[in-house]
Amino acid sequence: MSEIAEASHTCVLVTGGCGFIGSHTVVCLLQRGYEVVIVDDLSNANEKVLDRIDQIVGEDAAERLTFVRADVANKQALTAVFDEFDIKAVIHFAGFKAVGESVEKPIEYYSNNIGNTLALVDVMRNHDCKSIIFSSSATVYGDPDELPLTEESPKKPATNPYGWTKWMIEEMLRSLTIADPEWNVVLLRYFNPIGAHPSGLMGEDPKGIPNNLLPYVAQVAVGRRDCVHVFGNDYDTPDGTGVRDYIHVMDLAEGHAAALDWMAGRSGCEVFNLGTGNGTSVLEIIKAFSEACGKDLPYVVEPRRAGDVTANWADCTKARLELGWEAKYGIAEMCRDSWNWQSHNPNGYEE
Ligand code: UD1
């Protein structure tokens, strides 16, 4: 059974806590009174995010945050963390996440994402910590037969190694709960996280050319890239471009805090979709971002991107009823906050 009690007495390990979703979640946890230990190897994150977290939460809350630079696959380092802190639950974000790169480097993706999860759960059980929230993805639904997607919708074969790692880690963690009923696993399937902290101090900072739509659009808006490339306008959607369920990263972060509260005293394996329930097309995003930044953003239409689905959006009823959570922000606020971050930090966390 979960040992998670009141936030003020609970220490949570956040792997990948310096990344985009991780850092926003750490802010929520600190603001709720949790003690937080981040383990991150900074392979795809910037240490400067830690100062930003401190600025947002203030001195008192910042004292409850510890950062350990380590690879989650490093069992020795993880063991030292579990020996030092009385960790009651883990939120596991750390992992490689670039779809295209995963096709080029499948071994690295399987080895890193699956290997670090195996190391983590092994060290967890050695320390009798059996509560974990895993960052899964709507990618496990593949090309859906029916919309909206509920947690009961079938998992479909992934179209790339990144997707397979999410798919397989879900099953690995589910197996744990079958073998040992004390495990308490929550699989959060994210739809498309965008936006930034409303302060403009934290946001998404991809290395190199962004793969995802929003950071690309934001970089066009700030003048780092010439124009948005729209991948296909011949889909069976109202304007022909792909439709996704974009969710504000702060809503997503709150979803993790709600899941943590919900886990207290439970065990087993539960899945929740975290989305808004609304679909938005690529062209609608470009329009909304143009309004947010006050200029028309240029775009060109290109062929479809391999592996992309036509449309997906979530049914979030389960999260609303069980977790008492629902997304609060709309597309206008997501674009506003993303622009606020990008315009104040044109090069992300780099000066
Ligand atoms: C992608 C991944 C998904 C992963 C998620 C993580 C693929 C096929 N899927 O989701 O597995 O969980 O990122 O954030 O990569 N688009 C453009 N121009 C661009 C970029 C994207 O038109 O420069 C379009 C896409 O075709 C899609 C929409 O924008 O219709 C959203 O794309 P993206 O932000 O990459 O997210 P997903 O593909 O939904």
Side-chain angles (χ1 to χ4, degrees):
M1 189 121 78
S2 164
E3 280 191 81
I4 305 163
E6 285 169 45
S8 56
H9 300 292
T10 302
C11 181
V12 180
L13 168 63
V14 181
T15 75
C18 294
F20 175 45
I21 307 171
S23 58
H24 289 79
T25 301
V26 166
V27 164
C28 279
L29 297 179
L30 292 170
Q31 286 175 334
R32 287 191 180 211
Y34 286 98
E35 203 181 307
V36 177
V37 181
I38 294 176
V39 171
D40 196 308
D41 66 358
L42 302 178
S43 59
N44 192 27
N46 193 310
E47 202 169 357
K48 286 180 191 144
V49 75
L50 295 165
D51 294 333
R52 304 292 178 90
I53 292 174
D54 288 359
Q55 277 185 58
I56 292 170
V57 300
E59 219 172 295
D60 288 352
E63 278 176 10
R64 285 184 272 106
L65 174 63
T66 306
F67 170 61
V68 177
R69 183 172 184 171
D71 181 344
V72 177
N74 179 345
K75 281 194 191 178
Q76 222 180 337
L78 268 191
T79 299
V81 169
F82 275 86
D83 286 344
E84 184 176 349
F85 298 92
D86 185 20
I87 291 165
K88 298 282 197 253
V90 176
I91 307 183
H92 181 35
F93 292 103
F96 293 163
K97 61 169 189 183
V99 172
E101 187 183 59
S102 80
V103 176
E104 309 291 318
K105 300 180 177 175
I107 308 239
E108 283 76 4
Y109 269 68
Y110 288 117
S111 158
N112 183 70
N113 292 6
I114 293 180
N116 79 10
T117 307
L118 288 171
L120 174 64
V121 292
D122 190 31
V123 174
M124 284 175 71
R125 72 173 166 186
N126 290 341
H127 291 80
D128 210 27
C129 173
K130 295 181 177 176
S131 296
I132 183 168
I133 295 177
F134 174 62
S135 289
S136 190
S137 165
T139 200
V140 301
Y141 295 119
D143 204 353
D145 299 324
E146 262 184 300
L147 291 169
L149 288 155
T150 74
E151 292 80 356
E152 304 296 313
S153 301
K155 284 173 78 168
K156 295 274 195 74
T159 54
N160 55 73
Y162 157 80
W164 277 120
T165 66
K166 295 292 178 195
W167 208 107
M168 288 181 205
I169 293 167
E170 282 199 352
E171 297 311 314
M172 280 165 36
L173 295 175
R174 194 189 306 278
S175 304
L176 276 183
T177 62
I178 294 166
D180 176 355
E182 286 184 359
W183 275 92
N184 188 5
V185 171
V186 169
L187 309 173
L188 297 180
R189 292 182 180 154
Y190 312 151
F191 280 69
N192 287 55
I194 64 169
H197 193 270
S199 64
L201 289 168
M202 290 194 326
E204 192 169 8
D205 181 20
K207 290 201 169 125
I209 301 170
N211 301 298
N212 297 114
L213 179 63
L214 253 291
Y216 202 103
V217 169
Q219 292 192 6
V220 171
V222 85
R224 274 172 76 180
R225 318 231 164 244
D226 291 342
C227 73
V228 183
H229 301 263
V230 175
F231 298 146
N233 66 352
D234 57 351
Y235 284 105
D236 182 17
T237 61
D239 66 19
T241 64
V243 168
R244 296 290 183 274
D245 184 344
Y246 296 94
I247 172 169
H248 196 296
V249 66
M250 288 311 298
D251 277 330
L252 197 57
E254 292 289 350
H256 289 76
L260 206 50
D261 288 346
W262 179 87
M263 287 170 87
R266 292 176 197 269
S267 61
C269 181
E270 214 55 67
V271 182
F272 294 100
N273 285 339
L274 296 183
T276 63
N278 302 312
T280 305
S281 75
V282 176
L283 293 182
E284 286 170 332
I285 287 285
I286 296 174
K287 185 160 178 279
F289 208 100
S290 297
E291 278 160 20
C293 71
K295 56 188 167 220
D296 280 338
L297 298 177
Y299 66 87
V300 284
V301 176
E302 302 214 345
R304 294 181 178 193
R305 180 172 68 178
D308 273 352
V309 302
T310 300
N312 72 5
W313 62 86
D315 180 324
C316 303
T317 310
K318 187 176 174 190
R320 179 163 50 78
L321 296 181
E322 288 280 332
L323 305 180
W325 169 91
E326 77 188 313
K328 292 203 275 288
Y329 295 106
I331 290 291
E333 288 126 336
M334 299 182 214
C335 291
R336 174 200 69 196
D337 292 338
S338 172
W339 173 240
N340 188 33
W341 153 252
Q342 191 72 63
S343 56
H344 289 98
N345 305 268
N347 298 312
Y349 291 107
E350 290 306 323
E351 296 301 315

